[in-house]
């Protein structure tokens, strides 16, 4: 059941913080989720404290410092600390992080406070940095295209190539031009039944998109065993040999599974890396034998929920997920 009231959100935040203490290796994603619930509970000052606590850790221990800063800026702006929020956002721009999330949070913060030109510039700068011409658009980057399209509609700017790409990637039953039409606000006050019916259809499509995102707050993840871990796993549990055969077969099947999911339209795909001690601990927590093959996808889902998933597919010029040292386009991304 999803938290609905401020008290529910506070309770969920406390649960996540306890889990973070139990799993220190996953502290950052769990604390970020706790901070989000505290914001929803209205306890923005405490949420800021959590962001500060994460940023106070040694630099090597912080996985996503720019995302944490962006979330902190968004939170600060909401409770009267605009100047500090702006300074953080400009710092993110100067740092030019190589992942989409901090750019999106910062741009949407500017948009939420009617800084449309600045938001447009932020979205555009991010896409220039992250979107390689001719490459398939990574899932995480698609939201930047969508956000930029929305802001450009609000600014009454003509379509450009990125707007066309955003429209082509849109999976909602209602086109982006309709979803992002500024006149929609006026439709809600219309006395024309046809206009109201059309707006209800658009809102339902938009709500469906949000529900999909809420129901899957972490990637659909496939389990990857590094070579030495797989050898240890099969030595300890030979009954799993039928599931994995050998390491090369395991890697090929993993890539094929992800491609099948992608072809079926499944968004937000990822890979989680297993270790034998972690898997054994998970099996013990489930009171199940590690040889139970049905436990493997549950283990993968749990790792993804704890923030351990790596998005798939990587760029063709990025290192392959398998750890071979080759670029993805030459390794498992070839063909």
């Amino acid at each position: 059941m999803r938290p609905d009231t401020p008290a529910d959100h506070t309770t969920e935040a406390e649960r996540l913080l306890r889990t973070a203490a139990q799993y220190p290796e996953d502290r950052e994603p769990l604390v970020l989720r706790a901070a989000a619930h505290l914001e929803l509970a209205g306890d923005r000052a405490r949420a800021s404290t959590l962001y500060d606590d994460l940023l106070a850790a040694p630099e090597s221990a912080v996985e996503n410092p720019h995302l944490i800063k962006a979330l902190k800026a968004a939170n600060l702006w909401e409770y009267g600390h605009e100047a500090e929020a702006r300074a953080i956002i400009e710092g993110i721009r100067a740092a030019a992080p190589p992942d989409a999330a901090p750019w999106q949070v910062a741009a949407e913060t500017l948009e939420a406070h009617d800084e449309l030109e600045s938001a447009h510039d932020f979205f555009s700068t991010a896409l220039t940095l992250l979107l390689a011409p001719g490459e398939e658009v990574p899932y995480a980057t698609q939201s930047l295209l969508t956000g930029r399209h929305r802001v450009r509609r609000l600014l009454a700017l003509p379509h450009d190539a990125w707007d066309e790409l955003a429209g082509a990637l849109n999976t909602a039953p209602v086109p982006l031009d309709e979803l992002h039409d500024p006149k929609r606000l006026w439709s809600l006050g219309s006395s024309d039944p046809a206009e109201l019916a059309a707006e209800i259809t658009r809102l339902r499509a938009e709500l469906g998109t949000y529900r999909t995102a809420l129901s899957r707050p972490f990637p659909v993840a496939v389990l990857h065993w590094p070579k030495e871990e797989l050898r240890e796993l099969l030595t300890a549990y030979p009954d799993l040999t039928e599931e994995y055969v050998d390491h090369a077969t395991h890697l090929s099947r993993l890539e094929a599974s992800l491609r099948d999911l992608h072809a079926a339209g499944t968004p937000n795909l990822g890979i989680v890396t297993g270790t034998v001690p972690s898997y054994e601990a998970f099996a013990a927590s489930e009171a199940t034998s590690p040889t139970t093959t049905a436990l493997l996808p549950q283990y993968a889902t749990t790792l993804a929920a704890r923030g351990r998933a790596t998005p798939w597919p990587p760029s063709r010029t990025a290192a392959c997920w398998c750890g071979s040292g080759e670029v993805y386009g030459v390794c498992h991304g070839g063909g």
Side-chain angles (χ1 to χ4, degrees), residues 143-329:
S143 57
L144 292 174
L145 286 165
T146 302
R148 182 178 180 274
H149 181 285
R150 180 179 60 248
V151 170
R152 287 175 65 82
R153 289 286 283 156
L154 291 170
L155 290 169
L157 296 174
H159 272 196
D160 62 8
W162 278 343
D163 289 328
E164 297 295 338
L165 181 56
L169 292 171
N170 174 46
T171 58
V174 176
L176 278 189
D177 279 345
E178 291 187 43
L179 285 176
H180 296 162
D181 186 354
K183 294 179 181 178
R184 291 175 60 202
L185 295 175
W186 296 103
S187 298
L188 291 173
S190 173
S191 58
D192 184 338
E195 284 189 2
L196 288 171
E199 181 58 21
I200 289 170
T201 299
R202 287 191 288 266
L203 288 171
R204 281 176 175 165
E206 198 165 10
L207 180 59
T209 301
Y210 289 140
R211 280 177 172 164
T212 298
L214 287 170
S215 66
R216 188 176 296 145
F218 46 84
V220 175
V222 178
L223 182 59
H224 165 230
W225 295 98
K227 190 171 185 177
E228 292 305 316
E229 292 291 339
L230 184 61
R231 180 182 293 117
E232 182 180 343
L233 179 75
L234 297 182
T235 299
Y237 307 105
D239 288 351
L240 293 176
T241 302
E242 185 176 345
E243 179 75 15
Y244 289 113
V245 185
D246 56 44
H247 192 247
T249 302
H250 165 54
L251 298 182
S252 297
R253 287 177 175 175
L254 191 157
E255 177 73 22
S257 295
L258 287 164
R259 292 190 184 199
D260 288 345
L261 288 167
H262 179 70
T266 304
N268 200 10
L269 298 172
I271 296 172
V272 290
T273 299
T275 67
V276 174
S278 170
Y279 178 59
E280 290 174 334
F282 177 73
S285 71
E286 296 292 313
T288 305
S289 168
T291 60
T292 304
T293 56
L295 194 66
L296 295 164
Q298 296 175 33
Y299 174 54
T301 299
T302 299
L303 290 177
R306 287 164 55 188
R308 311 312 295 175
T310 299
W312 181 95
S315 164
R316 291 180 62 81
T317 57
C320 187
W321 54 263
C322 72
S324 66
E326 294 186 273
V327 297
Y328 177 65

Side-chain angles (χ1 to χ4, degrees), residues 27-151:
R27 178 173 179 266
E28 184 173 314
L30 292 167
V31 171
L32 286 178
R33 289 169 61 190
H37 281 287
L38 289 173
E39 289 185 31
L40 291 169
D43 195 350
R44 293 190 174 276
R46 189 178 174 204
S48 286
T49 299
L50 291 184
Y51 295 132
D52 288 337
D53 288 346
L54 288 173
L55 292 169
E59 186 174 342
S60 60
V62 183
E63 294 182 20
N64 300 290
H66 300 297
L67 174 59
I68 298 169
K69 290 176 182 178
L71 292 168
K72 177 184 175 182
N75 182 53
L76 285 170
W77 203 323
E78 288 297 326
Y79 74 111
H81 297 273
E82 177 183 339
E84 186 178 354
R86 286 182 181 277
I88 293 172
I89 288 172
E90 285 308 309
I92 292 169
R93 183 201 299 273
D99 52 305
W103 289 100
Q104 181 178 348
V105 172
E108 290 184 348
T109 299
L110 292 165
E111 179 188 357
H113 294 278
D114 296 324
E115 302 276 346
L116 296 182
E117 289 83 2
S118 296
H120 177 260
D121 181 57
F122 228 84
F123 278 124
S124 299
T125 302
L127 287 167
T128 301
L129 176 69
L130 302 178
L131 194 57
E135 291 281 353
E136 182 175 356
V137 181
Y139 178 81
T141 308
Q142 292 179 21
S143 57
L144 292 174
L145 286 165
T146 302
R148 182 178 180 274
H149 181 285
R150 180 179 60 248
V151 170

